[in-house]
Amino acid sequence: MKQRFGRVRAVLTVWAACGALIGAAVAGGASASAAPDTVRRTEAVPVAPGVEYGELRVAVPRGTVHGHLLTVDLTDPRVSVDLLYPDAVGARAPVSQLAAVRGAVGAVNGDFFNITETQHPGVEATGAPAGPAVASGRQLKGAVPDGQRFGPAMPPGASTEDVIGVGYDRRARLDRLTLRGAALTAQGPLSLRGLNQYALPVNGIGAYTARWGPASRVRATCGTDTDRAAPCSAETAEVTVRHGRVTAMSEQPGANGVPAGSVVLVGREEGARQLRRLDLGEPVSIGHRLVGQGRVPLRFAVGGFPIVRDDQPVDGLDPVAAAVRTSAGIGDGGRVLYLMALDGTAGEPGLTVRELADLMSRLGARDAVDLDGGGSSTLVTRAPYGQDVIVRNHPSGGAERPVPNALGVFSFG
C-alpha cells in the first residue's frame, strides 16, 4: 500500500480533540448546533488491498455517536468503486445482499428513494432512487424534480442532479448530471424530461427502458415539481416504441416491465398531448444522455446532496434535526474515498446534517455528500480472511432495510 495511504491509516489511531464550538448563524437566521467536540477512532484494519475499516466515536452535546468508516485508496490499481443495484432501477434489496452478489469487499447504502406513497392512495411506491445513477459506465436514470425527493431539506443551491462519483480517470469528485434527450418524430422533436424516474416534471415526457424493471409507471405522473404530495395528473398518455416504431398507445401509464428493444414514453399534461399526436406505426428515434460538468465522464455515480465543498461545510445545512446518517467524502484530490455510516442502536443521539459535515471534514474529506439515512444507513464489509459479508453497524430498524442502490468497493489482489 502506498506510503500516503499508510499515513491515513496512522491518523486513525489518534484522538482528535476539537474544543471550539460552531457559533455562527446559518442561512435563515437559525443558530448552528455545536460541532462534534471529540472524535475518537480505532486503529483501522485491512479489509482488502487498498481498503481499510475502522470505528469512531463522536462526542456531541447530546451524547456519544458511534460510526463506521471505510477508507478507500483509489490510487491502488487493484481497487475500484461502482454502483450496486438489484438489476432494476425500480427495485430494492439489502446492502449486504447487493455486496455479496457482486463480490464487493465493502459497501454503504446510497441515494434517497421513493419509499412510500401514503399521500397517493392506490399508487404503488416504486422503490426507485431520486438522483441520477451510473453503473459501470451505463447511465441508468435521471433526477426527479427537486420537490419530489424524499429525505431532509437540501441546502440552498443543491439539486437532485447532484452526485458523487468516480471518473474514468479513477478520481472521485462531486458533479451534477443533467439529462439531455429527445424523441425525434415526424411532427418534430419531443424533449425528454425524464429517464427511468419515479417522478416526471409537470408537462414533461419521460423515457422508460428495460432497466426500469417491473415497477408501475403510474407514480411518474403524481405530485408536482414543488409538491410531492399533490394529486396525480388527470391528463396522461403512454406510447410504446419498439425497434424504432410506435407499437402501442394508452391513456394511462402501465404497470408491466419494458421488454428489451422497446422504450416506453410517458407524458403528463402538455407532454401527454404531444404523445397523443403520434400514430401507430410512426417512426420514432429516441436518444438520451446524462451530461456532467467535469471534463472526464463518470464511470460510477450516485445521487446525494453536497454538505462539504473545498474543505468547508456548505451554507444552510440543518443544525437542528439529529438522525442516523450515511455520508461519502473525497480526500487527497480525489484519490481517497471515505464511506461512513452511523450506528442505529437505540438511545444514540445521531447527528444533524451540519454536524455530519463537520465530522466528514475532520475525517479528511475535502468534499462530501449526505446519503440516505435513518433505517437505510448500512455499512458492510467482507469478513476478515473470508468471503462472507458482515453488517458492521446496527441498522436503526433492527434489521437491514432494502434499498435501491449502494456504493460498492472492489479489490482484486
Side-chain angles (χ1 to χ4, degrees), residues 190-285:
L190 305 180
S191 177
L192 293 183
R193 304 282 305 283
L195 172 63
N196 292 331
Q197 296 169 200
Y198 70 76
L200 294 174
V202 173
N203 294 315
I205 296 174
Y208 293 81
T209 70
R211 290 173 179 157
W212 170 249
S216 170
R217 295 178 291 277
V218 173
R219 175 61 184 84
T221 60
C222 297
T224 67
D225 299 358
T226 58
D227 184 2
R228 190 181 73 207
C232 298
S233 175
E235 190 171 9
T236 63
E238 181 172 281
V239 169
T240 301
V241 178
R242 182 164 180 79
H243 300 311
R245 291 191 177 273
V246 176
T247 59
M249 305 181 73
S250 173
E251 292 186 358
Q252 300 294 329
N256 55 320
V258 180
S262 296
V263 177
V264 171
L265 301 176
V266 175
R268 55 179 298 177
E269 296 88 32
E270 177 58 27
R273 293 189 286 272
Q274 292 174 342
L275 290 180
R276 291 196 198 103
R277 299 188 188 113
L278 301 178
D279 298 315
L280 286 173
E282 180 175 338
V284 176
S285 177

Coordinates of all heavy atoms in Angstrom, one line a residue, residues 190-285:
L190 N -39.5 15.8 -29.7 CA -40.1 16.0 -28.4 C -39.1 15.9 -27.3 O -38.3 14.9 -27.2 CB -41.2 14.8 -28.2 CG -42.3 14.7 -29.2 CD1 -43.2 13.5 -28.9 CD2 -43.0 16.0 -29.4
S191 N -38.9 16.9 -26.5 CA -37.9 16.9 -25.5 C -38.2 15.9 -24.4 O -39.3 15.8 -23.9 CB -37.8 18.3 -24.9 OG -36.9 18.4 -23.8
L192 N -37.2 15.2 -24.0 CA -37.3 14.2 -22.8 C -36.9 14.9 -21.5 O -35.9 15.5 -21.4 CB -36.4 13.0 -23.0 CG -36.8 12.1 -24.2 CD1 -35.8 10.9 -24.2 CD2 -38.2 11.6 -24.1
R193 N -37.8 14.8 -20.6 CA -37.6 15.4 -19.3 C -37.3 14.4 -18.2 O -37.2 14.8 -17.0 CB -38.8 16.3 -18.9 CG -39.2 17.4 -19.9 CD -38.3 18.6 -19.8 NE -38.2 19.2 -18.5 CZ -39.2 19.9 -18.0 NH1 -40.3 20.2 -18.7 NH2 -39.1 20.4 -16.8
G194 N -37.3 13.2 -18.6 CA -37.0 12.1 -17.6 C -36.5 10.9 -18.2 O -36.8 10.6 -19.4
L195 N -35.8 10.1 -17.4 CA -35.2 8.8 -17.8 C -35.3 7.8 -16.6 O -34.7 8.0 -15.6 CB -33.8 8.9 -18.2 CG -33.1 7.6 -18.5 CD1 -33.7 6.8 -19.7 CD2 -31.6 7.8 -18.8
N196 N -36.2 6.9 -16.7 CA -36.4 5.9 -15.6 C -36.5 6.5 -14.3 O -35.9 6.1 -13.3 CB -35.2 4.9 -15.6 CG -35.2 4.0 -16.9 OD1 -36.2 3.7 -17.5 ND2 -34.0 3.6 -17.3
Q197 N -37.5 7.5 -14.2 CA -37.7 8.2 -12.9 C -39.0 7.9 -12.3 O -40.0 7.7 -13.0 CB -37.6 9.7 -13.2 CG -36.2 10.1 -13.7 CD -36.2 11.6 -14.2 OE1 -35.2 11.9 -15.0 NE2 -37.1 12.4 -13.9
Y198 N -39.1 8.0 -11.0 CA -40.4 7.8 -10.3 C -41.3 9.0 -10.3 O -42.4 9.0 -10.0 CB -40.2 7.3 -8.9 CG -39.7 8.3 -7.9 CD1 -40.4 9.3 -7.4 CD2 -38.3 8.1 -7.4 CE1 -39.9 10.2 -6.4 CE2 -37.8 9.0 -6.5 CZ -38.6 10.0 -6.0 OH -38.1 10.9 -5.1
A199 N -40.7 10.2 -10.8 CA -41.5 11.4 -10.9 C -41.0 12.2 -12.1 O -39.8 12.4 -12.3 CB -41.4 12.2 -9.6
L200 N -42.0 12.7 -12.9 CA -41.7 13.5 -14.1 C -42.0 14.9 -13.8 O -43.0 15.2 -13.1 CB -42.4 13.0 -15.3 CG -42.1 11.6 -15.8 CD1 -43.0 11.2 -16.9 CD2 -40.6 11.6 -16.3
P201 N -41.3 15.9 -14.4 CA -41.8 17.3 -14.3 C -43.1 17.5 -14.9 O -43.6 16.8 -15.8 CB -40.7 18.0 -15.1 CG -39.5 17.1 -15.2 CD -40.1 15.7 -15.2
V202 N -43.9 18.5 -14.4 CA -45.2 18.8 -14.9 C -45.0 19.2 -16.4 O -44.0 19.9 -16.8 CB -45.8 20.0 -14.1 CG1 -47.0 20.5 -14.8 CG2 -46.0 19.6 -12.7
N203 N -45.9 18.7 -17.2 CA -45.9 18.9 -18.7 C -44.8 18.1 -19.4 O -44.5 18.3 -20.6 CB -45.7 20.4 -19.1 CG -46.9 21.2 -18.6 OD1 -48.0 20.9 -18.8 ND2 -46.6 22.4 -18.0
G204 N -44.1 17.2 -18.7 CA -43.0 16.6 -19.3 C -43.2 15.2 -19.9 O -44.3 14.6 -19.7
I205 N -42.2 14.7 -20.6 CA -42.2 13.4 -21.2 C -41.0 12.6 -20.6 O -39.9 13.2 -20.6 CB -42.2 13.4 -22.7 CG1 -43.4 14.0 -23.3 CG2 -42.0 12.0 -23.3 CD1 -43.4 14.3 -24.8
G206 N -41.2 11.4 -20.2 CA -40.1 10.6 -19.7 C -39.9 9.3 -20.5 O -40.9 8.8 -21.0
A207 N -38.7 8.8 -20.6 CA -38.4 7.5 -21.3 C -38.2 6.5 -20.3 O -37.4 6.7 -19.3 CB -37.2 7.7 -22.2
Y208 N -38.7 5.3 -20.5 CA -38.5 4.1 -19.6 C -38.0 3.0 -20.4 O -38.6 2.6 -21.5 CB -39.8 3.8 -18.9 CG -40.2 4.8 -17.9 CD1 -40.9 6.0 -18.4 CD2 -39.9 4.8 -16.6 CE1 -41.2 7.0 -17.5 CE2 -40.2 5.8 -15.7 CZ -40.9 6.9 -16.2 OH -41.2 7.9 -15.3
T209 N -36.9 2.4 -20.0 CA -36.2 1.3 -20.7 C -36.4 0.0 -19.9 O -36.9 0.0 -18.8 CB -34.7 1.7 -20.9 OG1 -34.1 1.6 -19.7 CG2 -34.6 3.1 -21.6
A210 N -35.8 -1.0 -20.5 CA -35.8 -2.3 -19.8 C -35.1 -2.2 -18.4 O -35.4 -3.0 -17.5 CB -35.2 -3.4 -20.6
R211 N -34.2 -1.3 -18.2 CA -33.6 -1.1 -16.9 C -34.5 -0.6 -15.8 O -34.1 -0.7 -14.7 CB -32.3 -0.2 -17.1 CG -31.2 -0.9 -17.9 CD -30.1 0.1 -18.2 NE -29.0 -0.6 -19.0 CZ -28.2 0.1 -19.7 NH1 -28.2 1.4 -19.8 NH2 -27.2 -0.6 -20.4
W212 N -35.6 -0.1 -16.2 CA -36.6 0.4 -15.2 C -37.0 -0.8 -14.3 O -37.2 -0.6 -13.1 CB -37.7 1.1 -15.8 CG -38.9 1.4 -14.9 CD1 -40.1 0.9 -14.9 CD2 -38.9 2.4 -13.8 NE1 -40.9 1.4 -13.9 CE2 -40.2 2.3 -13.2 CE3 -37.9 3.2 -13.3 CZ2 -40.5 3.1 -12.1 CZ3 -38.3 4.0 -12.2 CH2 -39.6 4.0 -11.6
G213 N -37.3 -1.9 -14.9 CA -37.8 -3.0 -14.2 C -39.3 -3.1 -14.2 O -40.0 -2.4 -14.9
P214 N -39.9 -4.0 -13.3 CA -41.3 -4.3 -13.3 C -42.2 -3.3 -12.6 O -43.4 -3.4 -12.5 CB -41.4 -5.6 -12.7 CG -40.2 -5.7 -11.7 CD -39.1 -4.9 -12.4
A215 N -41.6 -2.3 -11.9 CA -42.4 -1.3 -11.1 C -43.4 -0.6 -12.0 O -43.1 -0.2 -13.2 CB -41.5 -0.4 -10.4
S216 N -44.5 -0.2 -11.4 CA -45.5 0.6 -12.1 C -45.0 2.0 -12.5 O -44.2 2.5 -11.7 CB -46.8 0.7 -11.2 OG -47.7 1.7 -11.8
R217 N -45.5 2.5 -13.6 CA -45.1 3.8 -14.0 C -46.1 4.9 -13.7 O -46.0 6.1 -14.0 CB -44.8 3.9 -15.5 CG -43.6 3.0 -15.9 CD -43.4 2.9 -17.4 NE -44.4 2.3 -18.2 CZ -44.5 0.9 -18.3 NH1 -43.6 0.1 -17.8 NH2 -45.5 0.4 -19.0
V218 N -47.2 4.5 -12.9 CA -48.2 5.5 -12.6 C -47.6 6.6 -11.7 O -48.0 7.7 -11.8 CB -49.4 4.7 -11.8 CG1 -50.4 5.7 -11.3 CG2 -50.1 3.8 -12.8
R219 N -46.7 6.2 -10.7 CA -46.2 7.2 -9.8 C -45.5 8.4 -10.6 O -45.5 9.5 -10.0 CB -45.2 6.6 -8.9 CG -44.5 7.5 -7.9 CD -45.4 8.3 -7.1 NE -44.8 9.3 -6.2 CZ -44.5 10.5 -6.6 NH1 -44.7 10.9 -7.8 NH2 -44.0 11.4 -5.7
A220 N -45.0 8.2 -11.8 CA -44.3 9.2 -12.5 C -45.2 10.4 -12.8 O -44.7 11.5 -13.1 CB -43.8 8.6 -13.8
T221 N -46.5 10.3 -12.8 CA -47.4 11.4 -13.1 C -48.1 11.9 -11.9 O -49.1 12.7 -12.0 CB -48.5 10.9 -14.1 OG1 -49.2 9.8 -13.6 CG2 -47.8 10.4 -15.4
C222 N -47.6 11.6 -10.7 CA -48.2 12.1 -9.4 C -47.3 13.3 -8.9 O -46.1 13.3 -9.1 CB -48.3 11.0 -8.4 SG -49.4 9.7 -9.0
G223 N -47.9 14.2 -8.1 CA -47.2 15.3 -7.5 C -46.9 16.3 -8.5 O -47.2 16.2 -9.7
T224 N -46.2 17.4 -8.1 CA -45.7 18.4 -8.9 C -44.3 18.7 -8.7 O -43.6 18.1 -7.8 CB -46.5 19.7 -8.7 OG1 -46.2 20.2 -7.4 CG2 -48.0 19.5 -8.8
D225 N -43.7 19.7 -9.4 CA -42.3 20.0 -9.3 C -41.9 20.5 -7.9 O -40.8 20.4 -7.5 CB -41.9 21.0 -10.3 CG -42.1 20.4 -11.8 OD1 -42.5 19.3 -11.9 OD2 -41.8 21.2 -12.7
T226 N -42.9 21.0 -7.2 CA -42.7 21.6 -5.9 C -43.4 21.0 -4.7 O -43.2 21.3 -3.6 CB -43.1 23.1 -5.9 OG1 -44.5 23.2 -6.3 CG2 -42.2 23.9 -6.9
D227 N -44.3 20.0 -5.1 CA -45.2 19.4 -4.0 C -45.3 17.9 -4.3 O -46.1 17.5 -5.2 CB -46.5 20.1 -4.0 CG -47.4 19.5 -2.9 OD1 -46.9 18.7 -2.1 OD2 -48.6 19.9 -2.7
R228 N -44.5 17.1 -3.6 CA -44.5 15.7 -3.8 C -45.9 15.1 -3.5 O -46.3 14.1 -4.1 CB -43.5 15.1 -2.9 CG -43.2 13.6 -3.1 CD -42.2 13.1 -2.1 NE -42.8 12.9 -0.8 CZ -42.1 13.0 0.3 NH1 -40.8 13.3 0.3 NH2 -42.7 12.8 1.5
A229 N -46.7 15.7 -2.6 CA -48.0 15.1 -2.2 C -49.1 15.6 -3.1 O -50.3 15.2 -2.8 CB -48.2 15.4 -0.7
A230 N -48.9 16.4 -4.0 CA -50.0 16.9 -4.9 C -50.7 15.7 -5.6 O -50.0 14.7 -5.9 CB -49.5 17.9 -5.9
P231 N -51.9 15.9 -6.0 CA -52.6 14.8 -6.7 C -52.0 14.3 -7.9 O -51.2 15.1 -8.6 CB -54.0 15.3 -6.9 CG -54.2 16.5 -6.0 CD -52.8 17.0 -5.8
C232 N -52.3 13.1 -8.4 CA -51.8 12.6 -9.6 C -52.4 13.4 -10.8 O -53.6 13.8 -10.7 CB -52.0 11.1 -9.8 SG -51.2 10.1 -8.5
S233 N -51.7 13.5 -11.9 CA -52.2 14.2 -13.0 C -53.5 13.5 -13.6 O -53.5 12.3 -13.7 CB -51.2 14.4 -14.1 OG -51.7 15.0 -15.3
A234 N -54.4 14.3 -14.1 CA -55.6 13.8 -14.7 C -55.4 13.6 -16.2 O -56.3 13.1 -16.9 CB -56.8 14.7 -14.4
E235 N -54.3 14.1 -16.7 CA -54.1 14.1 -18.2 C -52.7 13.4 -18.4 O -51.6 14.0 -18.2 CB -54.0 15.5 -18.7 CG -54.0 15.5 -20.2 CD -54.2 16.9 -20.8 OE1 -54.2 17.9 -20.0 OE2 -54.4 17.1 -22.0
T236 N -52.8 12.1 -18.8 CA -51.6 11.3 -19.0 C -51.7 10.5 -20.4 O -52.8 10.4 -20.9 CB -51.4 10.3 -17.9 OG1 -52.5 9.4 -17.9 CG2 -51.3 11.0 -16.6
A237 N -50.6 10.1 -20.8 CA -50.5 9.2 -22.0 C -49.2 8.4 -22.0 O -48.2 8.8 -21.4 CB -50.6 10.0 -23.3
E238 N -49.3 7.2 -22.6 CA -48.1 6.4 -22.7 C -48.0 5.8 -24.1 O -49.0 5.4 -24.7 CB -48.2 5.2 -21.7 CG -47.1 4.3 -21.8 CD -47.1 3.3 -20.6 OE1 -46.7 3.6 -19.5 OE2 -47.4 2.1 -20.9
V239 N -46.8 5.8 -24.7 CA -46.6 5.3 -26.0 C -45.4 4.3 -26.0 O -44.4 4.6 -25.3 CB -46.2 6.5 -27.0 CG1 -45.7 5.9 -28.3 CG2 -47.5 7.3 -27.2
T240 N -45.6 3.2 -26.6 CA -44.5 2.2 -26.6 C -43.9 2.2 -28.0 O -44.6 2.2 -29.0 CB -45.0 0.8 -26.4 OG1 -45.6 0.7 -25.1 CG2 -43.9 -0.3 -26.5
V241 N -42.6 2.4 -28.0 CA -41.8 2.4 -29.3 C -40.9 1.2 -29.3 O -40.1 1.0 -28.3 CB -40.9 3.7 -29.4 CG1 -40.1 3.6 -30.6 CG2 -41.8 4.9 -29.3
R242 N -41.1 0.3 -30.3 CA -40.3 -0.9 -30.4 C -39.6 -0.9 -31.7 O -40.2 -0.8 -32.8 CB -41.2 -2.1 -30.2 CG -40.4 -3.5 -30.3 CD -41.2 -4.6 -29.8 NE -40.5 -5.9 -29.8 CZ -39.6 -6.3 -28.9 NH1 -39.3 -5.5 -27.9 NH2 -39.0 -7.4 -29.0
H243 N -38.2 -1.1 -31.6 CA -37.4 -1.1 -32.8 C -37.7 0.1 -33.7 O -37.7 0.0 -34.9 CB -37.6 -2.4 -33.6 CG -37.2 -3.6 -32.8 ND1 -36.0 -3.8 -32.1 CD2 -37.9 -4.8 -32.5 CE1 -36.0 -4.9 -31.4 NE2 -37.1 -5.6 -31.7
G244 N -37.9 1.3 -33.0 CA -38.0 2.5 -33.8 C -39.3 2.9 -34.3 O -39.5 3.9 -35.1
R245 N -40.4 2.1 -34.0 CA -41.7 2.5 -34.4 C -42.8 2.4 -33.3 O -42.6 1.5 -32.4 CB -42.2 1.6 -35.6 CG -41.4 1.8 -36.9 CD -42.0 1.1 -38.0 NE -41.3 1.4 -39.3 CZ -41.5 2.5 -40.0 NH1 -42.5 3.3 -39.7 NH2 -40.8 2.7 -41.1
V246 N -43.8 3.2 -33.3 CA -44.9 3.2 -32.3 C -45.7 1.9 -32.5 O -46.2 1.6 -33.6 CB -45.8 4.4 -32.5 CG1 -46.9 4.3 -31.5 CG2 -45.0 5.7 -32.2
T247 N -45.7 1.1 -31.4 CA -46.4 -0.2 -31.5 C -47.7 -0.2 -30.5 O -48.5 -1.1 -30.7 CB -45.5 -1.3 -31.1 OG1 -45.0 -1.1 -29.8 CG2 -44.4 -1.4 -32.1
A248 N -47.8 0.7 -29.6 CA -48.9 0.7 -28.7 C -49.1 2.1 -28.1 O -48.1 2.9 -28.0 CB -48.7 -0.3 -27.6
M249 N -50.4 2.4 -27.8 CA -50.7 3.7 -27.2 C -51.7 3.5 -26.1 O -52.6 2.6 -26.2 CB -51.2 4.7 -28.3 CG -50.2 4.9 -29.4 SD -50.8 6.1 -30.7 CE -50.6 7.6 -29.8
S250 N -51.6 4.3 -25.0 CA -52.6 4.2 -23.9 C -52.8 5.5 -23.3 O -51.9 6.4 -23.3 CB -52.1 3.1 -22.9 OG -52.9 3.1 -21.8
E251 N -53.9 5.7 -22.6 CA -54.1 6.9 -21.9 C -53.5 6.9 -20.5 O -53.4 7.9 -19.8 CB -55.6 7.2 -21.8 CG -56.3 7.6 -23.1 CD -57.7 8.0 -23.0 OE1 -58.2 8.0 -21.8 OE2 -58.3 8.3 -24.0
Q252 N -53.2 5.7 -20.0 CA -52.7 5.5 -18.6 C -51.3 4.9 -18.6 O -51.1 4.0 -19.5 CB -53.6 4.7 -17.8 CG -55.1 5.2 -17.7 CD -55.1 6.5 -16.9 OE1 -54.3 6.7 -16.0 NE2 -56.0 7.4 -17.2
P253 N -50.4 5.3 -17.8 CA -49.1 4.6 -17.6 C -49.3 3.2 -17.2 O -50.3 2.8 -16.5 CB -48.4 5.4 -16.5 CG -49.1 6.7 -16.5 CD -50.5 6.5 -16.8
G254 N -48.5 2.3 -17.7 CA -48.6 0.9 -17.5 C -47.9 0.4 -16.2 O -47.1 1.2 -15.6
A255 N -48.1 -0.8 -15.9 CA -47.6 -1.4 -14.7 C -46.7 -2.6 -15.0 O -46.2 -3.2 -14.1 CB -48.7 -1.8 -13.7
N256 N -46.5 -2.9 -16.3 CA -45.7 -4.0 -16.6 C -44.3 -3.6 -17.0 O -44.0 -2.4 -17.2 CB -46.3 -4.7 -17.8 CG -46.6 -3.8 -19.0 OD1 -47.0 -2.6 -18.8 ND2 -46.3 -4.2 -20.2
G257 N -43.3 -4.5 -17.0 CA -42.0 -4.2 -17.4 C -41.8 -3.8 -18.9 O -42.8 -4.0 -19.7
V258 N -40.7 -3.2 -19.2 CA -40.4 -2.8 -20.6 C -39.6 -3.8 -21.2 O -38.4 -4.1 -20.7 CB -39.7 -1.4 -20.6 CG1 -39.5 -1.0 -22.0 CG2 -40.6 -0.4 -19.9
P259 N -40.0 -4.5 -22.3 CA -39.2 -5.5 -22.9 C -37.9 -4.9 -23.5 O -37.9 -3.8 -23.9 CB -40.1 -6.1 -24.0 CG -41.5 -5.6 -23.7 CD -41.3 -4.3 -23.0
A260 N -36.9 -5.8 -23.6 CA -35.7 -5.4 -24.3 C -36.0 -5.0 -25.7 O -36.8 -5.7 -26.4 CB -34.6 -6.5 -24.2
G261 N -35.4 -3.9 -26.2 CA -35.7 -3.5 -27.6 C -36.8 -2.5 -27.7 O -37.1 -1.9 -28.8
S262 N -37.5 -2.2 -26.6 CA -38.6 -1.2 -26.5 C -38.2 -0.1 -25.6 O -37.4 -0.2 -24.7 CB -39.9 -1.9 -26.0 OG -40.3 -2.9 -26.9
V263 N -38.8 1.1 -25.8 CA -38.8 2.2 -25.0 C -40.2 2.7 -24.8 O -41.0 2.8 -25.8 CB -37.9 3.4 -25.5 CG1 -38.0 4.6 -24.6 CG2 -36.5 2.9 -25.7
V264 N -40.6 2.9 -23.5 CA -41.9 3.5 -23.2 C -41.8 4.9 -22.9 O -41.0 5.3 -22.1 CB -42.6 2.7 -22.1 CG1 -43.9 3.4 -21.6 CG2 -42.9 1.3 -22.5
L265 N -42.6 5.8 -23.6 CA -42.7 7.2 -23.3 C -43.9 7.5 -22.5 O -45.0 7.1 -22.9 CB -42.7 8.0 -24.7 CG -41.5 7.8 -25.6 CD1 -41.7 8.5 -26.9 CD2 -40.2 8.2 -24.9
V266 N -43.8 8.1 -21.4 CA -44.9 8.5 -20.5 C -44.9 10.1 -20.5 O -43.9 10.7 -20.3 CB -44.7 8.0 -19.1 CG1 -45.8 8.5 -18.2 CG2 -44.7 6.5 -19.1
G267 N -46.1 10.6 -20.7 CA -46.3 12.1 -20.7 C -47.4 12.5 -19.8 O -48.3 11.7 -19.5
R268 N -47.3 13.7 -19.2 CA -48.3 14.3 -18.4 C -48.6 15.7 -18.9 O -47.7 16.4 -19.4 CB -47.9 14.3 -16.9 CG -46.6 14.9 -16.6 CD -46.3 14.9 -15.1 NE -47.3 15.6 -14.3 CZ -47.3 15.7 -13.0 NH1 -46.3 15.1 -12.3 NH2 -48.2 16.4 -12.4
E269 N -49.8 16.2 -18.8 CA -50.3 17.5 -19.2 C -49.8 17.7 -20.7 O -50.1 16.9 -21.6 CB -49.8 18.6 -18.3 CG -50.3 18.5 -16.9 CD -49.5 17.6 -16.0 OE1 -48.3 17.5 -16.2 OE2 -50.1 17.0 -15.1
E270 N -49.1 18.7 -21.0 CA -48.6 19.1 -22.3 C -47.8 17.9 -22.9 O -48.0 17.6 -24.1 CB -47.8 20.3 -22.4 CG -47.3 20.7 -23.7 CD -48.3 20.9 -24.8 OE1 -49.5 21.2 -24.4 OE2 -48.0 20.7 -26.0
G271 N -47.1 17.2 -22.1 CA -46.3 16.1 -22.6 C -47.3 15.0 -23.1 O -47.0 14.3 -24.2
A272 N -48.4 14.8 -22.4 CA -49.4 13.8 -22.8 C -50.0 14.2 -24.2 O -50.3 13.4 -25.0 CB -50.4 13.6 -21.8
R273 N -50.3 15.5 -24.3 CA -51.0 16.0 -25.5 C -50.0 15.8 -26.7 O -50.5 15.4 -27.8 CB -51.3 17.4 -25.4 CG -52.5 17.7 -24.4 CD -53.0 19.1 -24.4 NE -52.1 20.0 -23.7 CZ -52.1 20.3 -22.4 NH1 -53.0 19.7 -21.6 NH2 -51.3 21.2 -21.9
Q274 N -48.7 16.0 -26.5 CA -47.8 15.7 -27.6 C -47.7 14.3 -28.0 O -47.6 13.9 -29.2 CB -46.4 16.2 -27.2 CG -46.3 17.7 -27.0 CD -45.0 18.2 -26.4 OE1 -44.2 17.4 -25.9 NE2 -44.6 19.5 -26.6
L275 N -47.7 13.4 -27.0 CA -47.7 12.0 -27.3 C -48.9 11.5 -28.1 O -48.8 10.6 -28.9 CB -47.5 11.1 -26.0 CG -46.1 11.3 -25.4 CD1 -46.1 10.4 -24.1 CD2 -45.0 10.9 -26.3
R276 N -50.1 12.1 -27.8 CA -51.3 11.6 -28.4 C -51.3 12.0 -29.9 O -52.1 11.4 -30.7 CB -52.5 12.3 -27.7 CG -52.8 11.7 -26.3 CD -54.1 12.1 -25.9 NE -54.2 12.0 -24.4 CZ -54.2 13.0 -23.5 NH1 -54.1 14.2 -24.0 NH2 -54.3 12.7 -22.3
R277 N -50.4 12.9 -30.3 CA -50.4 13.2 -31.8 C -49.7 12.2 -32.6 O -49.7 12.2 -33.8 CB -49.7 14.6 -31.9 CG -50.4 15.7 -31.2 CD -49.8 17.1 -31.6 NE -50.4 18.1 -30.7 CZ -49.7 18.8 -29.8 NH1 -48.4 18.6 -29.6 NH2 -50.3 19.8 -29.1
L278 N -49.0 11.2 -31.9 CA -48.3 10.2 -32.7 C -49.3 9.2 -33.2 O -50.4 9.0 -32.7 CB -47.3 9.5 -31.8 CG -46.2 10.4 -31.2 CD1 -45.3 9.6 -30.3 CD2 -45.4 11.1 -32.3
D279 N -48.9 8.4 -34.2 CA -49.7 7.4 -34.8 C -49.0 6.0 -34.7 O -47.8 5.9 -34.7 CB -50.0 7.7 -36.3 CG -50.7 9.0 -36.5 OD1 -51.7 9.2 -35.8 OD2 -50.3 9.8 -37.4
L280 N -49.9 5.0 -34.6 CA -49.3 3.6 -34.7 C -48.5 3.4 -35.9 O -48.9 3.8 -37.0 CB -50.5 2.6 -34.6 CG -51.1 2.5 -33.2 CD1 -52.4 1.5 -33.3 CD2 -50.2 1.9 -32.2
G281 N -47.4 2.8 -35.8 CA -46.5 2.6 -36.9 C -45.6 3.7 -37.3 O -44.7 3.5 -38.1
E282 N -45.8 4.9 -36.6 CA -44.9 6.0 -37.0 C -43.5 5.8 -36.5 O -43.3 5.3 -35.4 CB -45.5 7.3 -36.3 CG -44.7 8.5 -36.5 CD -45.4 9.8 -35.9 OE1 -46.6 9.8 -35.7 OE2 -44.7 10.8 -35.7
P283 N -42.5 6.2 -37.3 CA -41.1 6.0 -36.8 C -40.8 7.0 -35.8 O -41.1 8.2 -35.9 CB -40.3 6.2 -38.1 CG -41.2 7.0 -39.0 CD -42.6 6.6 -38.7
V284 N -40.1 6.6 -34.7 CA -39.6 7.5 -33.6 C -38.2 7.0 -33.2 O -38.0 5.9 -33.0 CB -40.6 7.4 -32.4 CG1 -40.0 8.2 -31.3 CG2 -42.0 7.8 -32.7
S285 N -37.3 8.0 -33.2 CA -36.0 7.7 -32.8 C -35.7 8.4 -31.4 O -36.0 9.6 -31.3 CB -35.0 8.3 -33.8 OG -33.6 8.1 -33.4

